[in-house]
Amino acid sequence: MGSVVILDLRILSLAVPSQKISEMTRRLMPWLWWALASNFVSGSFFLFARPHRYFNNPIFGWKLSFLIPAIFLTLFFYLMSRREHGYWELNSKRLWAARGIAVVSLGLWIMVAMAGRWIAYMEYIYFPA
Amino acid sequence: MMELLNAPFWIDIENWPISWEIGGTAWFPFLESIHVIAAAFVVGSILMVDLRLLGLAATNYAITTLSKELLPWSWGAFTVATITGVGMFITRAASHVVNPAFQWKIFLLLLAGVNMAYFHFRVYAQIQQWDTTVATPTQLKVIGGLSLLTWSGVMLAGRWIGHII
Protein backbone atom coordinates (compact mmCIF):
# COMPACT_ATOMS: atom_id res chain seq x y z
CA MET A 1 0.00 0.00 0.00
CA GLY A 2 2.90 2.34 0.79
CA SER A 3 4.28 2.26 -2.74
CA VAL A 4 0.98 2.80 -4.53
CA VAL A 5 -0.15 5.49 -2.06
CA ILE A 6 3.02 7.57 -2.45
CA LEU A 7 2.66 7.30 -6.24
CA ASP A 8 -0.97 8.44 -6.03
CA LEU A 9 0.05 11.35 -3.81
CA ARG A 10 2.77 12.32 -6.29
CA ILE A 11 0.31 12.26 -9.19
CA LEU A 12 -1.94 14.57 -7.19
CA SER A 13 1.09 16.85 -6.57
CA LEU A 14 0.79 16.32 -2.83
CA ALA A 15 4.12 14.60 -2.13
CA VAL A 16 7.72 14.18 -3.30
CA PRO A 17 7.72 16.98 -5.93
CA SER A 18 11.30 16.21 -7.02
CA GLN A 19 10.39 12.77 -8.35
CA LYS A 20 8.96 12.11 -11.80
CA ILE A 21 5.80 10.04 -12.19
CA SER A 22 7.25 7.75 -14.88
CA GLU A 23 10.47 7.17 -12.96
CA MET A 24 8.54 6.49 -9.73
CA THR A 25 6.19 4.05 -11.45
CA ARG A 26 9.10 2.06 -12.82
CA ARG A 27 10.94 2.07 -9.49
CA LEU A 28 8.03 1.41 -7.11
CA MET A 29 5.84 -1.05 -8.99
CA PRO A 30 8.08 -4.11 -8.39
CA TRP A 31 7.83 -3.39 -4.64
CA LEU A 32 4.07 -3.25 -4.98
CA TRP A 33 3.74 -6.57 -6.81
CA TRP A 34 6.00 -8.38 -4.36
CA ALA A 35 4.20 -6.96 -1.35
CA LEU A 36 0.84 -7.81 -2.90
CA ALA A 37 1.97 -11.37 -3.54
CA SER A 38 3.08 -11.82 0.06
CA ASN A 39 -0.21 -10.30 1.26
CA PHE A 40 -2.01 -12.81 -0.91
CA VAL A 41 -0.08 -15.76 0.53
CA SER A 42 -0.41 -14.70 4.18
CA GLY A 43 -4.04 -13.72 3.62
CA SER A 44 -4.92 -17.10 2.13
CA PHE A 45 -3.60 -18.76 5.32
CA PHE A 46 -6.27 -16.85 7.27
CA LEU A 47 -8.85 -17.97 4.76
CA PHE A 48 -7.87 -21.65 4.81
CA ALA A 49 -7.75 -21.65 8.60
CA ARG A 50 -11.32 -20.47 9.11
CA PRO A 51 -13.13 -20.24 5.77
CA HIS A 52 -16.61 -19.92 7.32
CA ARG A 53 -15.47 -16.89 9.28
CA TYR A 54 -14.74 -15.05 6.05
CA PHE A 55 -17.35 -16.36 3.66
CA ASN A 56 -20.14 -15.62 6.13
CA ASN A 57 -18.82 -12.18 6.94
CA PRO A 58 -20.35 -9.41 4.79
CA ILE A 59 -17.31 -7.20 5.30
CA PHE A 60 -15.10 -9.79 3.59
CA GLY A 61 -17.22 -9.35 0.47
CA TRP A 62 -16.83 -5.59 0.81
CA LYS A 63 -13.08 -5.99 1.10
CA LEU A 64 -12.91 -8.06 -2.11
CA SER A 65 -15.11 -5.58 -3.93
CA PHE A 66 -12.61 -2.84 -3.08
CA LEU A 67 -9.53 -4.99 -3.57
CA ILE A 68 -10.24 -6.45 -7.01
CA PRO A 69 -10.93 -3.09 -8.71
CA ALA A 70 -7.92 -1.61 -6.89
CA ILE A 71 -5.64 -4.30 -8.31
CA PHE A 72 -7.04 -3.98 -11.83
CA LEU A 73 -6.81 -0.19 -11.74
CA THR A 74 -3.18 -0.37 -10.58
CA LEU A 75 -2.41 -2.99 -13.21
CA PHE A 76 -3.99 -0.81 -15.90
CA PHE A 77 -1.95 2.19 -14.79
CA TYR A 78 1.20 0.09 -14.80
CA LEU A 79 0.64 -1.53 -18.22
CA MET A 80 -0.11 1.83 -19.82
CA SER A 81 3.03 3.36 -18.35
CA ARG A 82 5.04 0.48 -19.81
CA ARG A 83 3.55 0.88 -23.26
CA GLU A 84 5.12 4.26 -23.82
CA HIS A 85 7.74 6.16 -21.86
CA GLY A 86 6.13 8.93 -19.80
CA TYR A 87 2.65 7.80 -20.90
CA TRP A 88 0.77 9.54 -18.08
CA GLU A 89 2.67 12.83 -18.40
CA LEU A 90 2.56 13.20 -22.18
CA ASN A 91 -0.24 15.75 -22.33
CA SER A 92 -2.62 17.44 -19.93
CA LYS A 93 -5.47 15.12 -20.89
CA ARG A 94 -3.50 12.06 -19.79
CA LEU A 95 -2.28 13.83 -16.67
CA TRP A 96 -5.87 14.55 -15.70
CA ALA A 97 -6.77 10.93 -16.37
CA ALA A 98 -3.88 9.92 -14.13
CA ARG A 99 -5.15 12.27 -11.41
CA GLY A 100 -8.61 10.74 -11.65
CA ILE A 101 -7.11 7.27 -11.36
CA ALA A 102 -5.01 8.40 -8.41
CA VAL A 103 -8.04 9.67 -6.46
CA VAL A 104 -10.01 6.47 -7.09
CA SER A 105 -6.99 4.29 -6.34
CA LEU A 106 -6.27 6.11 -3.07
CA GLY A 107 -9.88 5.70 -1.99
CA LEU A 108 -9.98 2.02 -2.95
CA TRP A 109 -6.74 1.09 -1.16
CA ILE A 110 -7.78 2.94 1.99
CA MET A 111 -11.12 1.14 1.94
CA VAL A 112 -9.32 -2.21 1.50
CA ALA A 113 -7.35 -1.55 4.69
CA MET A 114 -10.46 -0.26 6.45
CA ALA A 115 -12.58 -3.27 5.46
CA GLY A 116 -9.77 -5.65 6.35
CA ARG A 117 -9.68 -4.27 9.85
CA TRP A 118 -13.47 -4.37 10.23
CA ILE A 119 -13.74 -8.05 9.36
CA ALA A 120 -12.63 -8.92 12.88
CA TYR A 121 -14.86 -6.31 14.55
CA MET A 122 -17.94 -7.36 12.64
CA GLU A 123 -18.10 -10.49 14.76
CA TYR A 124 -18.50 -8.85 18.11
CA ILE A 125 -20.33 -5.69 17.14
CA TYR A 126 -23.04 -7.16 14.94
CA PHE A 127 -23.13 -10.88 15.63
CA PRO A 128 -24.19 -11.63 19.18
CA ALA A 129 -21.77 -14.31 20.38
CA MET B 1 7.81 0.39 38.57
CA MET B 2 5.21 -2.35 39.12
CA GLU B 3 3.46 -0.09 41.63
CA LEU B 4 3.19 2.60 39.01
CA LEU B 5 1.85 0.15 36.42
CA ASN B 6 -0.72 -1.23 38.85
CA ALA B 7 -1.79 2.19 40.15
CA PRO B 8 -5.56 2.84 40.37
CA PHE B 9 -4.91 5.86 38.16
CA TRP B 10 -5.09 3.66 35.04
CA ILE B 11 -8.50 2.32 36.07
CA ASP B 12 -9.69 5.91 36.54
CA ILE B 13 -8.75 6.60 32.92
CA GLU B 14 -10.83 3.64 31.79
CA ASN B 15 -13.81 5.14 33.60
CA TRP B 16 -13.69 8.48 31.88
CA PRO B 17 -16.94 8.99 29.94
CA ILE B 18 -14.98 9.30 26.68
CA SER B 19 -13.28 5.93 27.30
CA TRP B 20 -16.69 4.28 27.74
CA GLU B 21 -17.99 6.02 24.66
CA ILE B 22 -15.11 4.78 22.49
CA GLY B 23 -14.92 1.30 23.98
CA GLY B 24 -18.62 0.56 23.76
CA THR B 25 -19.38 1.79 20.26
CA ALA B 26 -18.18 1.52 16.67
CA TRP B 27 -15.75 4.33 17.52
CA PHE B 28 -13.15 1.78 18.57
CA PRO B 29 -12.91 -0.13 15.27
CA PHE B 30 -13.10 3.19 13.44
CA LEU B 31 -10.15 4.61 15.40
CA GLU B 32 -8.32 1.32 14.95
CA SER B 33 -8.71 1.41 11.16
CA ILE B 34 -7.50 5.01 10.99
CA HIS B 35 -4.61 4.01 13.26
CA VAL B 36 -3.59 1.19 10.91
CA ILE B 37 -3.76 3.41 7.83
CA ALA B 38 -1.80 6.19 9.57
CA ALA B 39 0.79 3.63 10.70
CA ALA B 40 1.16 2.48 7.08
CA PHE B 41 1.85 6.10 6.11
CA VAL B 42 4.40 6.56 8.92
CA VAL B 43 6.30 3.38 8.17
CA GLY B 44 5.92 3.70 4.39
CA SER B 45 7.53 7.13 4.32
CA ILE B 46 10.27 6.25 6.84
CA LEU B 47 11.02 2.99 5.03
CA MET B 48 11.79 4.84 1.81
CA VAL B 49 14.37 7.01 3.55
CA ASP B 50 15.80 3.95 5.37
CA LEU B 51 16.25 1.99 2.16
CA ARG B 52 17.98 5.01 0.64
CA LEU B 53 20.30 5.26 3.67
CA LEU B 54 21.13 1.58 3.16
CA GLY B 55 21.87 2.31 -0.50
CA LEU B 56 19.20 -0.19 -1.59
CA ALA B 57 16.54 1.95 -3.23
CA ALA B 58 15.89 5.38 -4.77
CA THR B 59 19.64 5.76 -5.17
CA ASN B 60 19.30 8.43 -7.84
CA TYR B 61 17.84 10.84 -5.28
CA ALA B 62 19.78 12.81 -2.69
CA ILE B 63 19.23 11.72 0.91
CA THR B 64 18.37 15.28 1.96
CA THR B 65 15.76 15.66 -0.80
CA LEU B 66 14.05 12.40 0.13
CA SER B 67 14.07 13.15 3.81
CA LYS B 68 12.85 16.73 3.28
CA GLU B 69 9.95 15.60 1.08
CA LEU B 70 8.93 12.50 3.04
CA LEU B 71 9.38 13.54 6.66
CA PRO B 72 6.37 15.91 6.80
CA TRP B 73 4.24 12.89 5.83
CA SER B 74 5.83 10.79 8.54
CA TRP B 75 5.11 13.44 11.19
CA GLY B 76 1.61 14.21 9.96
CA ALA B 77 0.67 10.53 9.96
CA PHE B 78 2.44 10.02 13.29
CA THR B 79 0.24 12.72 14.83
CA VAL B 80 -2.90 10.98 13.55
CA ALA B 81 -1.60 7.62 14.78
CA THR B 82 -0.86 9.08 18.22
CA ILE B 83 -4.31 10.64 18.61
CA THR B 84 -6.12 7.47 17.50
CA GLY B 85 -3.71 5.36 19.57
CA VAL B 86 -4.40 7.35 22.74
CA GLY B 87 -8.11 7.08 21.97
CA MET B 88 -7.84 3.28 21.99
CA PHE B 89 -5.44 3.19 24.94
CA ILE B 90 -7.79 4.96 27.35
CA THR B 91 -10.53 2.36 26.86
CA ARG B 92 -8.38 -0.30 28.57
CA ALA B 93 -5.49 1.67 30.02
CA ALA B 94 -4.84 -0.59 33.03
CA SER B 95 -4.59 -3.73 30.89
CA HIS B 96 -2.42 -2.00 28.30
CA VAL B 97 0.28 -0.79 30.66
CA VAL B 98 0.89 -4.35 31.87
CA ASN B 99 0.58 -5.91 28.40
CA PRO B 100 4.08 -7.04 27.31
CA ALA B 101 3.31 -6.32 23.65
CA PHE B 102 2.31 -2.77 24.57
CA GLN B 103 5.45 -2.34 26.68
CA TRP B 104 7.61 -3.59 23.81
CA LYS B 105 5.88 -1.26 21.41
CA ILE B 106 6.54 1.81 23.57
CA PHE B 107 10.14 0.72 24.15
CA LEU B 108 10.76 0.22 20.42
CA LEU B 109 9.06 3.54 19.64
CA LEU B 110 11.43 5.31 22.03
CA LEU B 111 14.38 3.47 20.48
CA ALA B 112 13.25 4.49 16.99
CA GLY B 113 12.91 8.06 18.25
CA VAL B 114 16.43 8.10 19.71
CA ASN B 115 17.83 6.68 16.46
CA MET B 116 15.98 9.32 14.46
CA ALA B 117 17.13 12.13 16.78
CA TYR B 118 20.73 10.91 16.51
CA PHE B 119 20.48 10.98 12.72
CA HIS B 120 18.98 14.45 12.57
CA PHE B 121 21.01 16.19 15.26
CA ARG B 122 24.36 14.44 15.01
CA VAL B 123 24.75 13.12 11.47
CA TYR B 124 22.56 15.29 9.31
CA ALA B 125 24.85 18.35 9.55
CA GLN B 126 27.70 16.48 7.81
CA ILE B 127 25.52 14.68 5.30
CA GLN B 128 26.57 16.83 2.32
CA GLN B 129 29.57 14.59 1.61
CA TRP B 130 27.43 11.46 1.10
CA ASP B 131 24.21 13.09 0.04
CA THR B 132 24.23 11.68 -3.48
CA THR B 133 26.52 8.66 -3.12
CA VAL B 134 24.98 5.23 -3.55
CA ALA B 135 27.57 3.46 -1.36
CA THR B 136 26.68 5.11 1.94
CA PRO B 137 29.11 4.89 4.90
CA THR B 138 28.57 2.24 7.57
CA GLN B 139 27.26 4.82 10.02
CA LEU B 140 24.34 5.69 7.74
CA LYS B 141 23.70 2.01 6.99
CA VAL B 142 23.49 1.22 10.70
CA ILE B 143 21.06 4.09 11.27
CA GLY B 144 18.91 3.02 8.31
CA GLY B 145 18.96 -0.65 9.33
CA LEU B 146 18.17 0.16 12.96
CA SER B 147 15.27 2.35 11.91
CA LEU B 148 13.94 -0.42 9.66
CA LEU B 149 14.18 -2.97 12.48
CA THR B 150 12.70 -0.81 15.24
CA TRP B 151 9.75 0.35 13.13
CA SER B 152 9.03 -3.21 11.98
CA GLY B 153 9.12 -4.18 15.65
CA VAL B 154 6.71 -1.38 16.52
CA MET B 155 4.26 -2.69 13.90
CA LEU B 156 4.65 -6.29 15.03
CA ALA B 157 4.25 -5.45 18.72
CA GLY B 158 1.33 -3.17 17.87
CA ARG B 159 -0.49 -6.00 16.14
CA TRP B 160 0.30 -8.31 19.04
CA ILE B 161 -1.32 -6.01 21.61
CA GLY B 162 -4.71 -7.03 20.29
CA HIS B 163 -3.85 -10.73 20.44
CA ILE B 164 -2.78 -10.63 24.07
CA ILE B 165 -5.41 -8.35 25.58
Side-chain angles (χ1 to χ4, degrees):
Chain A
M1 191 176 151
S3 42
V4 68
V5 162
I6 195 83
L7 183 60
D8 287 339
L9 293 174
R10 168 61 190 88
I11 293 168
L12 297 170
S13 306
L14 292 173
V16 287
S18 71
Q19 308 193 11
K20 279 193 70 178
I21 294 175
S22 53
E23 189 274 336
M24 275 184 94
T25 310
R26 211 164 343 114
R27 183 164 46 90
L28 292 176
M29 281 299 174
W31 291 91
L32 172 80
W33 301 127
W34 281 109
L36 195 63
S38 62
N39 266 350
F40 186 77
V41 172
S42 53
S44 36
F45 284 147
F46 292 153
L47 202 63
F48 293 146
R50 288 170 71 188
H52 59 92
R53 180 190 184 196
Y54 294 96
F55 293 124
N56 294 328
N57 191 322
I59 303 290
F60 181 70
W62 277 94
K63 180 173 176 177
L64 287 185
S65 61
F66 291 123
L67 181 61
I68 294 165
I71 294 173
F72 276 109
L73 192 64
T74 311
L75 193 65
F76 169 72
F77 185 88
Y78 176 64
L79 292 177
M80 286 313 201
S81 74
R82 280 191 46 163
R83 219 165 69 169
E84 189 181 340
H85 183 74
Y87 182 90
W88 295 108
E89 294 144 297
L90 219 55
N91 53 48
S92 71
K93 220 166 136 188
R94 286 211 186 138
L95 196 58
W96 276 105
R99 286 180 188 140
I101 291 176
V103 171
V104 177
S105 156
L106 210 56
L108 284 174
W109 285 110
I110 284 177
M111 287 315 282
V112 170
M114 203 73 148
R117 208 58 276 265
W118 278 71
I119 287 174
Y121 287 112
M122 199 60 188
E123 291 167 354
Y124 80 84
I125 292 185
Y126 297 100
F127 300 135
Chain B
M1 191 66 183
M2 272 327 280
E3 266 165 57
L4 187 70
L5 294 183
N6 287 320
F9 166 70
W10 302 109
I11 305 275
D12 294 343
I13 293 182
E14 290 183 19
N15 285 321
W16 288 348
I18 188 174
S19 312
W20 278 84
E21 178 62 27
I22 295 170
T25 61
W27 266 107
F28 191 92
F30 187 64
L31 287 183
E32 164 90 283
S33 315
I34 304 285
H35 190 73
V36 168
I37 292 163
F41 274 61
V42 174
V43 176
S45 52
I46 290 178
L47 175 91
M48 290 183 207
V49 179
D50 290 344
L51 290 171
R52 174 64 187 88
L53 288 177
L54 286 164
L56 292 176
T59 44
N60 46 351
Y61 292 100
I63 297 172
T64 46
T65 315
L66 276 182
S67 115
K68 221 180 317 175
E69 292 181 352
L70 287 169
L71 229 56
W73 284 93
S74 316
W75 281 116
F78 188 77
T79 311
V80 175
T82 308
I83 294 169
T84 49
V86 168
M88 292 189 288
F89 173 78
I90 58 173
T91 62
R92 298 183 76 172
S95 326
H96 276 118
V97 288
V98 294
N99 183 332
F102 181 80
Q103 295 167 346
W104 269 103
K105 180 172 178 178
I106 297 298
F107 171 69
L108 290 168
L109 262 176
L110 292 175
L111 215 61
V114 170
N115 185 44
M116 210 169 162
Y118 181 78
F119 175 63
H120 276 276
F121 297 117
R122 284 293 155 85
V123 186
Y124 205 73
Q126 306 125 45
I127 205 147
Q128 297 308 334
Q129 38 185 324
W130 313 292
D131 207 8
T132 52
T133 47
V134 176
T136 48
T138 316
Q139 191 190 23
L140 288 190
K141 287 202 169 91
V142 170
I143 292 172
L146 215 58
S147 169
L148 213 62
L149 275 177
T150 45
W151 281 108
S152 309
V154 169
M155 293 299 112
L156 209 60
R159 193 63 272 257
W160 233 261
I161 293 172
H163 292 310
I164 289 180
I165 208 142

